[in-house]
Amino acid sequence: MVDNLVERIRQKDQRAMSQLYQMFIRELSSVCYRYVPSESDVKDVLQNSFVKIFKSIPTLDYRGEAALRLWMKKIVVNEALCFLKERRKLKATLGLRIAAQDVEMASEPTAPDFDSAETESLTPEDVHRLVSSLPDGYRTVVNLYIFEGYSHRQIAELLNVSESTSASQLYYAKQVLARRIKELKKDRR
């Protein structure tokens, strides 16, 4: 079925584009939400992603549905990262800084690290909410490292930062998440 859709999209069939969109929008939205927590921003990122997908399919070396799915996810991740970079530039231009609360949490040297006992009771919604609440830099590195499986070297190249910056962002993100997990569990008691 997907093979047929790809072929029809190559022939500029609008209905095939719509069908491919409907087939993958939920999955790609989920990927996008891991990086961009605002619904309106997610819609913009997804729109840009699908424009790139549909423009690129005619020259795509199609190798099956699994490869297509992976390729589309990569486009969404790249678009989300571009969005975050542009937003960071805008914030820098406007002179905005990370919230003081996030800086305080990140600098707590005694914040606990993850362990399976702390995280086993979390639902996927809890994890999504906790990761989404992280500052952009932390959230981006957590998503790339944990969910996408990138190495610190790959993240450094992708984000144009040093490997040690990627590693420290992950370290501090884990500390913030561990603290928030404890708070969440305490609130549920």
Side-chain angles (χ1 to χ4, degrees):
M1 171 156 182
V2 174
D3 300 359
N4 183 323
L5 288 177
V6 169
E7 192 53 44
R8 288 174 40 213
I9 290 169
R10 287 182 171 155
Q11 298 168 9
K12 306 211 184 319
D13 181 334
Q14 296 291 321
R15 197 173 315 150
M17 289 178 191
S18 177
Q19 289 173 324
L20 188 80
Y21 174 89
Q22 292 301 322
M23 186 178 274
F24 291 102
I25 188 62
R26 289 180 60 105
E27 182 177 349
L28 296 178
S29 293
S30 178
V31 169
C32 193
Y33 270 110
R34 289 197 318 248
Y35 295 88
V36 182
S38 160
E39 187 173 342
S40 64
D41 293 337
V42 165
K43 288 179 182 179
D44 290 344
V45 170
L46 286 172
Q47 180 177 346
N48 291 340
S49 298
F50 273 102
V51 167
K52 284 191 177 184
I53 289 167
F54 293 136
K55 281 185 178 180
S56 300
I57 281 182
T59 59
L60 176 68
D61 181 18
Y62 180 73
R63 296 180 183 192
E65 183 177 341
L68 178 70
R69 175 177 275 125
L70 184 62
W71 175 72
M72 290 190 306
K73 283 182 180 181
K74 199 170 223 176
I75 288 175
V76 171
V77 168
N78 286 336
E79 282 300 306
L81 293 176
C82 287
F83 170 82
L84 292 173
K85 284 178 188 176
E86 286 302 312
R87 188 165 83 180
R88 194 175 317 128
K89 285 180 189 174
L90 178 62
K91 282 183 177 181
T93 302
L94 297 174
L96 299 176
R97 302 273 182 240
I98 295 175
Q101 176 186 5
D102 292 324
V103 172
E104 275 179 33
M105 288 188 297
S107 63
E108 291 178 7
T110 58
D113 202 358
F114 287 115
D115 69 24
S116 61
E118 289 292 320
T119 59
E120 67 187 20
S121 65
L122 296 177
T123 67
E125 293 78 20
D126 291 335
V127 173
H128 175 73
R129 191 173 58 257
L130 289 166
V131 171
S132 293
S133 71
L134 291 171
D136 289 347
Y138 293 179
R139 184 178 60 250
T140 301
V141 172
V142 164
N143 283 315
L144 290 171
Y145 188 84
I146 295 173
F147 296 109
E148 305 297 336
Y150 284 83
S151 68
H152 286 299
R153 175 174 289 171
Q154 292 169 314
I155 294 169
E157 290 172 6
L158 196 57
L159 300 179
N160 199 25
V161 298
S162 69
E163 286 182 53
S164 61
T165 297
S166 173
S168 70
Q169 291 281 303
L170 181 64
Y171 172 79
Y172 289 123
K174 284 182 173 182
Q175 287 184 332
V176 170
L177 287 171
R179 182 172 165 270
R180 290 181 181 173
I181 289 169
K182 283 194 176 212
E183 290 170 0
L184 180 64
K185 290 180 84 170
K186 182 181 170 187
D187 290 345
R188 288 185 176 169
R189 287 183 196 152

